[in-house]
Amino acid sequence: MKFYRLFPLLAIALVGCQLSYYVSVTEVEYTSKGVCSGVELTTNNQKITGIGYLYRTEGRADSVRLTPGQPVRIPDPNPEPRRTSYILGFDGPVRNSAEVDLTWRCLPDKQPLGVQFTYYGGQSTIKGLRITENPASPHGFDIEVVDF
């Protein structure tokens, strides 16, 4: 079994009580290329309430609580080209579907980029995001909605 399939469960277990009530998650795969010094994330709906991430070099997980409409800085763990996996935690079970509405911003000075998609509970694949830094983009990165 590949690590990225275990990451959501592992990260929730490591993060502890703060994310323990999240029963549904979706993934974000972020590839840095030295463009952003960090990332700012804003959730634009009530369903997404937390984001967890793993510091692979330090072997520890961390999480940030999200408040709708309030930007939260998520530092890039390493400015060198690398891939980081994040998980977004839903507040409560997703029985049928949930709208994901997020705004990402490449720090320090790029334009924000919004992304929306519908997450369906009980699917065999997990719908999530693939974000790749791109120096040619006015946003500093490109975002794709993908199935993991």
Side-chain angles (χ1 to χ4, degrees):
M1 183 175 281
K2 294 184 178 180
F3 175 77
Y4 70 89
R5 290 283 183 210
L6 290 175
F7 179 71
L9 297 174
L10 182 65
I12 287 174
L14 291 173
V15 171
C17 295
Q18 192 172 14
L19 289 179
S20 64
Y21 65 94
Y22 297 153
V23 294
S24 298
V25 297
T26 191
E27 296 183 46
V28 177
E29 179 184 275
Y30 186 98
T31 303
S32 65
K33 295 185 176 181
V35 178
C36 305
S37 63
V39 177
E40 196 172 73
L41 172 63
T42 305
T43 182
N44 301 310
N45 62 14
Q46 299 288 331
K47 277 301 215 186
I48 303 288
T49 59
I51 184 166
Y53 44 98
L54 182 68
Y55 294 102
R56 292 179 190 212
T57 55
E58 299 172 23
R60 67 179 178 90
D62 206 349
S63 68
V64 174
R65 301 259 320 138
L66 300 175
T67 302
Q70 298 295 318
V72 173
R73 181 171 175 155
I74 302 168
D76 183 31
N78 188 339
E80 297 173 12
R82 62 180 289 135
R83 184 174 295 159
T84 302
S85 294
Y86 297 92
I87 57 166
L88 293 166
F90 290 94
D91 184 15
V94 177
R95 290 190 177 95
N96 296 318
S97 66
E99 295 299 315
V100 176
D101 184 358
L102 303 166
T103 302
W104 296 82
R105 185 169 165 256
C106 174
L107 298 174
D109 58 0
K110 300 292 183 182
Q111 299 172 12
L113 180 60
V115 62
Q116 298 175 347
F117 67 95
T118 303
Y119 174 83
Y120 295 97
Q123 284 184 281
S124 59
T125 60
I126 298 172
K127 188 166 292 285
L129 300 175
R130 180 171 292 136
I131 301 173
T132 306
E133 288 185 5
N134 177 358
S137 169
H139 306 287
F141 44 60
D142 299 316
I143 300 177
E144 300 174 82
V145 178
V146 298
D147 290 328
F148 288 103

